[in-house]
């Protein structure tokens, strides 16, 4: 099975800051990686698919990059509504696997 | 409105069974692969099972293989999961999830609100 490791597990940043979250797969997944945002008590919401494709309706301050084993989610200018937990998911092979999550808090 | 609505969750004793259902609306259900994803209380997301468009191919996490069975009825726009031999560690919110259409990969672009399964004596 492909293991997916996210870092950091939590980050605290100020409004307007640039925030970067990384995801590392235990073996290459090409570009088949997605990023999700989840707020407390809600279902997740996809932000990025295929490593760098912005899901329709998602603000352009969110971006994704990477291929193979190393991926990055960047929030270019953190907003109060971005306080949430973020997950990556490899979509290359079964069983599909998620990273452990990164909690983003606003200072 | 595009919607997935889960039902069937509840309290069950260890070793018991439960059947979850998901009713899809607002999109052509028969043209999308589907999955179940769960989240234990206070924990992260765990993919549980997936099924192809026709239902001919099914996939499972190692943690549920042999105990859970995913199925679909394209004539009724429903996705089901039969859960047998339930364990305490199966306690979670179970989400019905639609495969995304943006690329040839199994990501999720539509989630249900989830149904809570509690396995406890």
């Amino acid at each position: 099975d492909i293991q997916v490791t996210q870092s950091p597990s939590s980050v605290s940043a100020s409004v307007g800051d640039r925030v970067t979250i990384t995801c590392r797969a235990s073996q290459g997944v090409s570009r088949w990686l997605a990023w999700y945002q989840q707020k407390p008590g809600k279902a997740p919401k996809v932000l990025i698919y295929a490593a760098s494709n912005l899901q329709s309706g998602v603000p352009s301050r969110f971006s994704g990059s990477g291929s193979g084993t190393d991926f990055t989610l960047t929030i270019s200018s953190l907003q109060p509504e971005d306080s949430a937990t973020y997950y990556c998911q490899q979509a290359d092979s079964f069983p599909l696997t998620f990273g452990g999550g990164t909690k983003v808090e606003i200072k | 409105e595009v919607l997935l609505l889960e039902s069937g969750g509840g309290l069950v004793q260890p070793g018991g069974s439960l059947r979850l259902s998901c009713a899809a609306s607002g999109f052509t259900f028969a043209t999308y692969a589907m999955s179940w994803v769960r989240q234990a209380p206070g924990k992260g997301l765990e993919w549980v099972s997936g099924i192809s468009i026709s239902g001919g191919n099914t996939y499972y996490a190692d943690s549920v293989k042999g105990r859970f069975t995913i199925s679909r009825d394209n004539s009724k726009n429903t996705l089901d999961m039969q859960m047998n031999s339930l364990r305490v560690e199966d306690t979670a919110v179970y989400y019905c999830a639609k495969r995304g259409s943006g690329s040839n990969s199994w990501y999720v672009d539509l989630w249900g609100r989830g149904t809570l399964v509690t396995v406890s004596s």
Side-chain angles (χ1 to χ4, degrees), chain B residues 61 69 77:
Chain B
T69 303
N77 292 346

Side-chain angles (χ1 to χ4, degrees), chain B residues 44-118:
Chain B
L45 300 169
E46 180 187 15
W47 175 82
V48 174
S49 181
I51 188 167
S52 63
I53 292 170
S54 67
N57 292 301
T58 57
Y59 312 91
Y60 298 94
D62 292 344
S63 58
V64 307
K65 201 172 293 182
R67 300 188 299 123
F68 290 11
T69 303
I70 191 172
S71 61
R72 66 188 297 162
D73 186 334
N74 288 341
S75 68
K76 297 181 179 178
N77 292 346
T78 57
L79 175 73
D80 291 335
M81 188 159 70
Q82 178 65 40
M83 304 188 297
N84 298 331
S85 303
L86 282 161
R87 305 167 180 168
V88 171
E89 55 265 33
D90 294 320
T91 295
V93 172
Y94 285 73
Y95 293 103
C96 176
K98 169 187 165 290
R99 179 178 174 176
S101 53
S103 76
N104 186 29
S105 68
W106 281 69
Y107 73 99
V108 175
D109 70 353
L110 179 66
W111 300 74
R113 290 195 297 180
T115 187
L116 177 63
V117 172
T118 303

Side-chain angles (χ1 to χ4, degrees), chain A residues 1-4 23 25 29 32-34 88-99, chain B residues 106:
Chain A
D1 299 0
I2 298 175
Q3 310 303 316
V4 179
C23 184
V29 297
W32 306 133
L33 187 113
C88 59
Q89 176 232 324
Q90 67 84 12
D92 179 70
S93 62
F94 294 102
L96 308 179
T97 43
F98 288 88
Chain B
W106 281 69

Side-chain angles (χ1 to χ4, degrees), chain A residues 68-89:
Chain A
T69 60
D70 294 309
F71 300 85
T72 300
L73 174 70
T74 300
I75 309 173
S76 60
S77 177
L78 191 67
Q79 299 301 303
E81 60 267 32
D82 299 336
S83 177
T85 300
Y86 294 81
Y87 295 93
C88 59
Q89 176 232 324

